[in-house]
Amino acid sequence: MAATRVLLIEDSEDDALLVTGRLRRSGLDIEYERVETAEGMTQALRDSPPEIIISDNSMPSFDARAALALLHATGLDIPFIVVSGQIGEESAAALMRAGAHDFVLKDNLTRLAPAVQRELTEVQERRKRRRAEAALRSTEDRFRLVAEHLKDVVFRYRLGATPRLEYISSAATALTGHSPEQLQSDVELLFAAVDPADRDVLLRSWQSPPEQPLTVRWRLPDGSPAWIEQRLVLVLVDDAAVGEGVLRDITEQVLDARRREELEHQLHQAERLDSLGQLAGGIAHDFNNLLGVISGYVRFVLDDLGEDHPSRQDIENIDHAAGRAAALTRQLLIFSRLQPSQPEVVDLNAVVAEIERLLRRTIGEDIDFRIEVRPTLPPVFIDRSRLEQIVMNLVVNARAAMPGGGRLTLATGTDDDRHVCLTVSDTGCGMTEEVKRRAFEPFFTTRGRGQGSGLGLSTVYGAVTEASGSIVLDSRVGEGTSITVRLPAAVHSAAAQPSGDDDESDLRGDGERILIVEDDDGIRQIACRILSGAGYSVLDTAIRSQALELVRDTGQAFDLLLSDVVMPGMPVTEFLDAVRDARPSMPILLMSGYTADQTANSRPLPDSIPLVTKPFKLATLLRRVKGVLETHRVHTSARR
């Protein structure tokens, strides 16, 4: 057991030895420090506070009264005993009033040890009592803090024809707008806050509490809706049935559950889209090949027909329909995120003009459809199919907002000459603030189940954002909606090929040897006929292994390899690696109508290898071939 620490305030060393000796002979294990000045006492209290202080009453520069004052200034609870040679009753009483716990005369030190032991015991009891009181205050404070901040409403009522509230917590004010005293005086104020459809259910539950929590709809003081959960039990108090319960606002939990349900619905929609994407991918390659054959032979027929031939218009209509079918396939792939977009320099007015007939058929005759285009718009840099999709989705969405008819206006224009604008306006039902806030969320729709996917405006938002554009939505309930799409005007030197056909005389070859690798007989024949007719020397094969044999044959020399991406057998990336190993400097041009399936389980296609999308027009293929060959010549000359 540690020795008791004693601070001895004494100017006489002999008296100090007398006091400490008496304590030790009495059986006390002590260690002491002697001081005789205020500075010494202050230092001792700061460095190692003692368990008890024994002080001489009077010293030349320091006395017991001053020592007591100094001790009280520290706030420490340390017993203080005065030991004096002579002291009068009045002086002793004054010291006791000043805070001394006892005084002992030096000529009667037999009282000293019992006094020290008593004071040590009492100070321990005082400290225990203070700790217990502090713990009790802390507990009370915690309970008070919980009670003051508890959001749940705690209530108690007496059963009867009309229940009578005996108690209800102050949290009820937030739910009802009334104080606890007002609610206890008139319980109907509480029931008035319940949604009328749920009021009878709540009243019945007070007469016969259900085993499970009851959820009712509520109307808060500010008019906003809420959902309140009630937990209720009946207890016997003085042989009378008393109901005790809790009302808890579970609005967030209910809304979270609804959001989860909405997310599950969205997941179901996403799974349907994924299935749609897989279906699209499964048919896209073959379908685009068929369209390529149709487009190719249509062009050959057109070349053979004169400008005045009576069937020329019919053949051109077939060509246009094939082009629309190809665009539709690309839209399906892009929408399903199975094929990256291919931005190009596009004339917005030209796109609107091309799909105007389709738009008019889509919106119906009960809509006054107006198109207002500003001539000579700057071009925009965007995937053409996505731009068509933006126009179609905005028009279809506007049409849906006018089930009873109205006016729909599609306008083009510019904004500060740096942006091209497309505005679609309607005179329909308009949008509330909540609908406007969520208008561009995926799968959000105000139409009934099965009447809309909720993807129209979200698809528009994604396409516009991808093109570095922005969208402005202006809508008022009952007045209509206007959506403006702002797209950056294209820089004319943008690295995109123009969409129009070049003069084919500028695209002719000069006997360059081209190896065509394509497993579809129709596409291969079309490509061979186009390139041969344009002055190229062509060799073709339907098998990649045979193509590699030709490439590795030192007796063969090719200026360009034109290969399909999706073919059976060797993956395209392995095929390209083998070609590069055999002919590192030979330029390569890939062609495909669908690349995602081929690259899903292998390395992505190199960005450095150009790609021509199938089905392609005659001039498109010639332009890409010419461009690749010219680029190769420039690089070869630069290396020399």
Side-chain angles (χ1 to χ4, degrees), residues 612-627:
V612 59
T613 303
K614 293 189 295 186
F616 44 73
K617 294 181 179 294
L618 180 149
T620 301
L621 178 60
L622 293 178
R623 185 189 316 116
R624 297 310 298 273
V625 168
K626 188 78 169 180

Side-chain angles (χ1 to χ4, degrees), residues 399-422:
R399 173 66 182 89
M402 299 182 290
R407 185 175 65 255
L408 195 160
T409 304
L410 187 156
T412 65
T414 58
D415 181 2
D416 62 31
D417 293 329
R418 290 181 296 177
H419 290 85
V420 176
C421 298
L422 168 70

Side-chain angles (χ1 to χ4, degrees), residues 45 65 118 134 139 149 188 223 280 302 375 429 449 455 504 557 592 609 620 636 639:
L45 292 177
R65 183 181 294 276
R118 183 192 69 238
T139 301
H149 292 82
E188 288 300 326
L302 285 173
C429 57
R449 186 177 293 272
L455 293 169
E504 294 175 18
S592 182
I609 299 181
T620 301
T636 301
R639 285 196 296 268

